[in-house]
Amino acid sequence: MSEPARHPGPEADGRPGRVLGRTVRRLAGALGAALVLASALPGGSAGAAPAGGNRPVADTAVSAELPVTMTIDSVSKPVAVQSGTVTITGHVTNAGRSVLKSAHAAVRRPWPSKPLTTRSELASVSSRSVPLNADGISMDSPQYALNELGPGQSQPYTLSVAVADLQFSGEGVYELAVDVWGATADNQRDRPLGIARSYLPYNPSPGDAQPSKVTTLWPLTHAPVLAAQTLSENDQTVPVLRDDSLATEFAPGGRLYALVDTGAALTGLTWVVDPDLLDTAFAMTRRYVVQKPGTGGNAAKDDNTVAGTGTPAAIAWLEKLRAAVAKPGSQVVALPYADPDLASIAHNAPELEGIDAALGKAATAGRLTVEGRLSVDTRADVAWPYRGYLDQRIAAVAQRTGNSLMLVNGSSMPESDALKYTPSATRQIGNGQTALVADQLISSLFEGELATQEEQTRAVQRFLAETFVISRQEPQNPRGLLVMPPRDLGAGTAKVLATALQAAQEGKWVEPVKLDALAQLTPDPKANSTVPAPTDYPARARDSELSAFDLTTTTRIQTDLDTLMRVLTLPQRVRGPFSAAMVRSLSTEWRTEGRAGADYREGVKRYLKELTGAVKVPPKREITFAGDTGVLQVSVRNDLTQTVTNLKLVLTPAQPNRLRVELPTEELVLPASQSVTLRFPAEAKNNGPVSMTAQLYTTGPNPQKYGEPVTFTVQVTSVTNGVLYVFGGGVLLLLLAALRFVRQRKRRVAHGDEGDAPLAPQDGGTGPDGTDGPGPGADGGGPGATADGGNADGPGGPERPEHDGAARTPRDSSADGRDRATSDEKVGP
């Protein structure tokens, strides 16, 4: 498709030659429509229609079917100036099913030439879908002739119009409309085929009007990437990241680089910073490693990590950010560390044990981190719930954790229709809290990624129109406005917002101020200061919240972490990384990255479990206990890289009447990467299997179980049964009695005495060797047996130490790093 001819200017008769004849031929046919138009315009009459050279809209009913889609891609002068020229570019697309013929694009001149003075009038322009009389008069010059366009074909256009030709009546905001006139192959009547609308502020002289005070939030946030662990290397700790996304973000062309670069050119910004992002950037300024996919819960090692690549970018980015936030008039707000999701907590676990303390610590850590990394003063009592949505529960949790200033989305606290002006953002909402309510419409202009020129221009021109109208509502009573873009403000959208702010500032109806200045403005008593009920919270926002299960599971990590801290000799190696990782698990950033958030939380839990499980009783299946008394050997292994203390091992038999452990508790100290083997004196009373449980406990006040219990079987053998001794003793007594009877009988026979002898032995009878004395086993037991059939000391058995309750060093400990008790063993005297 060939490029259409472009008309640098009007011909001698004041209009392009190509359209002159067609315009004349159309005048007669348009006369009736002109009369309709004149009567339809505000204050208009048939005799009030503009004179020749301008075409009114034809029958609007016929215009309902619009085969053309138009865009306004750029406006050379976002704010019109006296004696200036405005150049408009855009595209015309044939969205119909018939060929577009003899068409041209033209600018509409506002008629009557009065500005739009209310925000509702601005909204009315935006809501129109078809060409209307209210859109103004299509001008004969300038015009842009279009080629024939088949269905789906598109063509750019450029139109330059002198501001004087638009005939503005004075300062204000005017509709800027461009339409297409022509015919189609299936309808040869010349008619409006499509229209595009925008706004054009005209401010020839600022006059005495006071500018609105505008605070713009400039967020620097990112989903957490620092893991809860480090890699040990040459006595140094190497940071571990879950991915290397920030290497791209910090580099030129990345989102975070663009935010700092764009914000550095603005004045009066309020930088809202996640301290965790700064810590991550600082960690990247030296050597760091990145976990390989699928290894998030495993201990970082050389074989499951790769070297990070973002060190140069992180160094440069931090330097650039420090310079930007140091500019006069700027302010830095420190979010709580890792930006925990206040709304999820308030709705799903507001009374969760320890949550208030965790949020308080996150706020303190956030302030200290930002001040330390950026070398600036910060404000850390600011709560920014997800997207600024507020309700009573969120406000209550924020108040309990020390947040006195709330950043609020305007949709949460809308104004009454009875209020005919836009009030300042500052509101007193009770409980010592102040809300800064963002203008909902203005903030919504910069949501999402404004990827096309059309979207960017629309946002800039609407921002200028809205802020201009607000500034003129009560010219001597300046308003305070809050502009709240989303946390994940995109690079392109940030540039658009910067363009809009600079244009409004140059027009002198906007004055940028920092957050503190806005918060100090006197609240408007007519403004809405009612915090909505939880039932009014947006359902779509609630759907993306962290669940009560997620929150409870995450906070339970603190309990497990506290237990681990009690046994470490160098707890600082673990406390800091894990405390930060717990808060990162609650980050608001996971709202848009739900799967990644779940993976991160799971990785934190898995790694803590791995650390805790590194100190353990190795699994055992069965050991053999031979004899009545002996020792049970149980090993404890420490695979951590630091010494572990404040632990004790407790053995508990399932049947203590069959197998009793003399001293079931043993305190121990485990050197790094070694194991010790403990010996527990025990006494068996019966043969057969006995289940035994080995459990580690912490020592000191309120001892807690440490790790999982290990259950194994003790197979008791070779115990001399007391019943057999009794039975054997009885048989022996009978035999001895019979032998004595025979001997006595023989003696009596020899002496001629044939009388009966007693059947029982008499006191002072003979022993087994024929001597007088007590019979063996007279006590019913075997040699050396006790009354219960056990062994007093056991043959060669150890001496039983007395237990005084004091901690003892492990008996027979092995510090060679080998586990001697993980398989079947024979443990005996």
Side-chain angles (χ1 to χ4, degrees):
M1 183 171 59
S2 60
E3 179 72 12
R6 297 179 182 271
H7 305 287
E11 297 182 358
D13 62 356
R15 55 175 65 89
R18 180 181 177 191
V19 301
L20 177 60
R22 188 169 67 250
T23 301
V24 172
R25 290 192 300 270
R26 193 165 54 236
L27 287 177
L31 180 59
L35 295 176
V36 174
L37 166 69
S39 60
L41 290 172
S45 64
N54 300 288
R55 287 172 290 113
V57 177
D59 186 356
T60 55
V62 176
S63 305
E65 295 182 3
L66 299 179
V68 168
T69 300
M70 292 196 70
T71 65
I72 294 177
D73 295 341
S74 70
V75 179
S76 63
K77 299 292 184 182
V79 180
V81 296
Q82 205 168 16
S83 303
T85 298
V86 177
T87 299
I88 308 161
T89 67
H91 281 78
V92 176
T93 301
N94 184 355
R97 291 176 290 182
S98 183
V99 176
L100 188 66
K101 294 185 174 182
S102 304
H104 68 272
V107 177
R108 288 203 178 195
R109 188 186 75 221
W111 190 83
S113 300
K114 293 181 178 180
L116 306 168
T117 59
T118 66
R119 300 187 72 179
S120 60
E121 290 179 343
L122 297 178
S124 176
V125 170
S126 177
S127 66
R128 299 172 191 162
S129 59
V130 297
L132 298 175
N133 296 334
D135 291 313
I137 307 300
S138 183
M139 301 172 63
D140 283 342
S141 176
Q143 293 184 358
Y144 192 92
L146 301 171
N147 295 332
E148 286 192 358
L149 297 178
Q153 290 184 325
S154 181
Q155 180 179 343
Y157 70 86
T158 299
L159 292 166
S160 294
V161 59
V163 174
D165 291 344
L166 294 174
Q167 299 179 8
F168 294 153
S169 61
E171 74 165 23
V173 176
Y174 294 85
E175 179 182 352
L176 179 64
V178 179
D179 63 1
V180 168
W181 282 74
T184 57
D186 60 352
N187 187 344
Q188 298 296 321
R189 191 171 70 85
D190 192 41
R191 65 191 190 280
L193 303 176
I195 191 169
R197 302 174 178 87
S198 186
Y199 305 91
L200 186 63
Y202 178 56
N203 191 28
S205 59
D208 297 331
Q210 297 296 311
S212 299
K213 300 182 184 300
V214 176
T215 295
T216 303
L217 304 182
W218 207 256
L220 293 179
T221 65
H222 188 275
V225 295
L226 265 178
Q229 55 180 299
T230 55
L231 180 68
S232 297
E233 184 177 89
N234 299 326
D235 296 329
Q236 294 182 349
T237 55
V238 179
V240 179
L241 275 62
R242 67 180 179 91
D243 61 48
D244 212 11
S245 57
L246 285 175
T248 302
E249 295 266 13
F250 289 151
R255 184 183 73 91
L256 291 171
Y257 178 93
L259 287 178
V260 175
D261 188 58
T262 302
L266 300 174
T267 59
L269 279 185
T270 296
W271 300 80
V272 184
V273 184
D274 179 0
D276 175 55
L277 176 61
L278 300 182
D279 263 356
T280 307
F282 183 78
M284 293 172 62
T285 60
R286 58 190 190 275
R287 168 169 158 71
Y288 70 96
V289 297
V290 179
Q291 295 170 335
K292 291 181 179 179
T295 64
N298 302 330
K301 300 177 182 178
D302 289 336
D303 61 355
N304 62 12
T305 60
V306 296
T309 62
T311 296
I315 293 173
W317 184 80
L318 277 175
E319 291 177 350
K320 193 177 186 69
L321 176 59
R322 291 186 184 108
V325 299
K327 290 184 61 175
S330 297
Q331 183 173 2
V332 177
V333 169
L335 292 171
Y337 196 92
D339 191 17
D341 192 338
L342 194 64
S344 292
I345 293 170
H347 292 153
N348 301 321
E351 305 300 329
L352 189 62
E353 183 178 359
I355 196 66
D356 288 352
L359 291 176
K361 291 178 181 179
T364 301
R367 176 180 59 82
L368 295 176
T369 300
V370 173
E371 290 178 349
R373 300 298 185 207
L374 299 183
S375 301
V376 295
D377 292 332
T378 66
R379 180 164 186 170
D381 63 338
V382 179
W384 188 13
Y386 174 67
R387 297 183 68 86
Y389 295 132
L390 182 68
D391 64 22
Q392 294 165 0
R393 291 180 182 173
I394 298 172
V397 171
Q399 192 271 337
R400 292 203 310 263
T401 53
N403 298 128
S404 61
L405 192 63
M406 304 290 299
L407 304 179
V408 182
N409 188 312
S411 65
S412 289
M413 298 177 66
E415 299 304 328
S416 168
D417 292 338
L419 196 63
K420 301 303 182 183
Y421 61 87
T422 300
S424 288
T426 311
R427 319 284 168 83
Q428 298 297 330
I429 59 174
N431 295 323
Q433 290 178 299
T434 299
L436 295 181
V437 182
D439 188 277
Q440 170 59 19
L441 191 153
I442 292 177
S443 297
S444 69
L445 298 175
F446 306 100
E447 294 180 351
E449 189 62 46
L450 303 178
T452 67
Q453 285 188 313
E454 178 193 12
E455 293 171 335
Q456 295 166 6
T457 298
R458 182 190 301 122
V460 170
Q461 298 306 124
R462 185 67 181 270
F463 176 88
L464 296 174
E466 296 287 343
T467 53
F468 189 98
V469 168
I470 291 172
S471 70
R472 295 306 190 264
Q473 288 175 341
E474 294 184 359
Q476 302 307 316
N477 182 21
R479 308 300 159 73
L481 302 178
L482 178 65
V483 179
M484 181 193 293
R487 275 177 167 81
D488 58 349
L489 177 63
T493 303
K495 293 178 180 178
V496 176
L497 176 54
T499 298
L501 289 169
Q502 289 171 324
Q505 188 176 354
E506 291 172 0
K508 300 187 183 305
W509 67 81
V510 159
E511 177 188 354
V513 298
K514 58 186 180 181
L515 190 74
D516 282 350
L518 183 64
Q520 292 168 3
L521 293 180
T522 302
D524 189 327
K526 297 181 180 179
N528 180 18
S529 59
T530 301
V531 177
T535 53
D536 295 327
Y537 191 81
R540 185 169 58 180
R542 194 180 288 274
D543 290 342
S544 64
E545 290 179 345
L546 298 179
S547 67
F549 175 80
D550 293 333
L551 297 169
T552 304
T553 303
T554 301
T555 54
R556 284 176 182 167
I557 295 176
Q558 184 65 55
T559 303
D560 297 336
L561 181 62
D562 290 342
T563 302
L564 180 61
M565 293 299 98
R566 295 175 67 170
V567 306
L568 299 180
T569 53
L570 297 172
Q572 64 275 13
R573 289 186 182 178
V574 177
R575 181 187 295 113
F578 260 101
S579 295
M582 285 175 53
V583 182
R584 293 186 193 111
S585 298
L586 306 176
S587 177
T588 304
E589 301 301 323
W590 301 128
R591 289 282 194 136
T592 55
E593 298 184 37
R595 182 67 265 169
D599 291 343
Y600 187 86
R601 289 188 293 274
E602 181 61 28
V604 172
K605 289 186 289 186
R606 284 174 54 196
Y607 183 58
L608 179 57
K609 185 176 182 179
E610 181 174 338
L611 285 183
T612 304
V615 180
K616 60 183 180 295
V617 177
K620 305 169 73 70
R621 294 188 296 275
E622 182 177 289
I623 63 176
T624 301
F625 188 92
D628 300 328
T629 61
V631 294
L632 297 173
Q633 293 184 164
V634 181
S635 294
V636 182
R637 176 75 188 175
N638 174 22
D639 288 325
L640 297 175
T641 57
Q642 60 176 287
T643 299
V644 171
T645 186
N646 298 327
L647 274 177
K648 61 184 178 182
L649 180 64
V650 178
L651 291 187
T652 306
Q655 297 171 291
N657 60 322
R658 295 181 58 195
L659 180 63
R660 182 170 63 90
V661 180
E662 290 284 333
L663 300 173
T665 300
E666 185 68 49
E667 295 188 12
L668 67 159
V669 175
L670 294 171
S673 303
Q674 294 188 25
S675 65
V676 298
T677 300
L678 308 181
R679 297 167 62 86
F680 293 85
E683 179 183 18
K685 299 181 180 180
N686 295 95
N687 291 319
V690 177
S691 178
M692 183 72 67
T693 299
Q695 174 70 64
L696 288 170
Y697 284 84
T698 60
T699 60
N702 188 26
Q704 301 291 322
K705 288 184 178 181
Y706 185 94
E708 297 297 325
V710 172
T711 301
F712 55 94
T713 300
V714 179
Q715 194 64 248
V716 181
T717 64
S718 304
V719 173
T720 49
N721 196 305
V723 175
L724 296 177
Y725 284 128
V726 172
F727 179 76
V731 173
L732 182 59
L733 288 174
L734 290 175
L735 291 174
L736 291 175
L739 179 60
R740 186 176 180 183
F741 175 78
V742 171
R743 286 180 177 178
Q744 290 176 345
R745 181 66 176 264
K746 287 181 178 180
R747 284 197 296 267
R748 285 195 292 270
V749 169
H751 291 83
D753 184 3
E754 297 293 336
D756 292 336
L759 297 178
Q762 303 297 315
D763 293 340
T766 61
D769 57 354
T771 63
D772 293 338
D779 60 353
T786 62
D788 60 0
N791 194 337
D793 292 321
E799 181 181 355
R800 299 174 188 164
E802 294 295 324
H803 179 57
D804 57 3
R808 306 188 308 280
T809 56
R811 297 180 292 268
D812 303 321
S813 63
S814 170
D816 61 355
R818 297 173 57 194
D819 187 349
R820 301 184 183 276
T822 57
S823 60
D824 293 345
E825 297 176 357
K826 181 177 180 180
V827 181

